[in-house]
Amino acid sequence: MKTINIKSLSDASDEPQFRIVEIFKSLQGEGYNTGMPSVFVRLGRCNLSCEWCDTNYEEFEYKPLSRVLAAVGAFDVRNIILTGGEPSVHPRVEELVAAFKARGYFMCIESNGLARVPVGIDFIAISPKYCYKERYEQAVGFDVDELRIVVDSVAMLSHSIDDFMSWAEAMASKFPAKHRFLSPLELEGQMNILQTIETIGKLNAKGKQRWALSLQTHKLAGIE
C-alpha cells in the first residue's frame, strides 16, 4: 500500500488530483451500516448511466489530495464512505485510500461492482444494476460485505420479475456477501415499495440466500 506524505511533495504538480462532487458529514442512510456517522467523499464520473440516478456526478471540482484530507479532517468522524459516481474507476483512487488509511480512518466504499475496489477498503458495499445486466455477465466477482440491489421496475418493463429474481440470485453468487438487501426504486417521487417487499418474500421463500429491505432512510429523515 502506497502512503502519501504531503510534506514530502517537492512539486505541487506531483500531488494527486481528485474529481470531487462534494464532501459532507452525515449518517449512513442505507444498508447494514444505517445510522453510522460518516464523512461522505463523493467522486465524479461513472461508468454507467442509470435513468433513475439521483446524483449529479458530472458536476465536480478537481481538488488536490491535501485539500481533500483537510476537508475530511475538519469533521470529528473516523468513518469515510467513498461514493460517486463510481469511485472504483477514479484515477489514483488507491492513493486516496492509502492516505486515509495512514491517518487511521475506517474506509467504506459504495460501488457498482464492475471494477475491482482499491486495496485498503474495510467495508465493501456493491450495488449491481439490473438495467445493465448484460455487462455483469462478463464482470469478475469478488467477496463483499454488502450486496444492495435496486428493484429496477423501469428495466422490468421489458423483462419479468422471475428474470430479475434469477439475476439477483446470480449476483449473490458472483459477489458473495455477508449481508444482502433489496431497495425500492425512487422515480419522480414515487417508490415501488410493495413490489420490493413482495420480491424479498419470494426470494427468501426460495431459501438460496437471505435478503432484507434497505430504504434511503436519510431522505425519510430529511438529512443529506
Side-chain angles (χ1 to χ4, degrees), residues 62-196:
Y62 280 97
K63 292 186 179 182
L65 177 59
S66 55
R67 286 183 59 192
V68 176
L69 293 173
V72 172
F75 299 108
D76 58 343
V77 173
R78 303 305 297 173
N79 305 308
I80 294 176
I81 298 178
L82 288 183
T83 187
E86 176 48 51
S88 69
V89 298
H90 196 292
R92 303 179 76 172
V93 68
E94 295 85 359
E95 297 176 52
L96 180 62
V97 173
F100 283 134
K101 290 297 293 182
R103 287 157 178 78
Y105 286 99
F106 181 82
M107 296 298 302
C108 307
I109 193 169
E110 296 181 332
S111 170
N112 59 37
L114 287 175
R116 282 278 182 175
V117 301
V119 173
I121 299 296
D122 300 296
F123 191 93
I124 302 171
I126 296 297
S127 181
K129 304 301 189 288
Y130 180 64
C131 52
Y132 287 96
K133 66 191 191 81
E134 291 80 9
R135 290 185 61 174
Y136 285 92
E137 293 176 2
Q138 305 301 321
V140 178
F142 49 92
D143 290 347
V144 304
D145 296 285
E146 176 180 318
L147 181 67
R148 191 192 315 146
I149 298 177
V150 172
V151 180
D152 190 347
S153 57
V154 176
M156 281 188 202
L157 292 175
S158 56
H159 300 88
S160 67
I161 186 65
D162 289 337
D163 183 73
F164 174 84
M165 290 170 57
S166 295
W167 180 81
E169 290 178 321
M171 291 300 98
S173 297
K174 178 164 285 193
F175 299 101
K178 300 172 185 174
H179 315 282
R180 287 165 295 277
F181 297 93
L182 292 188
S183 298
L185 174 71
E186 181 179 355
L187 189 64
E188 298 180 352
Q190 301 295 316
M191 289 191 293
N192 58 335
I193 294 180
L194 177 58
Q195 183 184 41
T196 300

Side-chain angles (χ1 to χ4, degrees), residues 169 180 200-211:
E169 290 178 321
R180 287 165 295 277
I200 290 172
K202 291 177 181 179
L203 282 169
N204 286 340
K206 296 176 72 173
K208 290 185 177 181
Q209 302 103 7
R210 191 71 186 173
W211 298 80

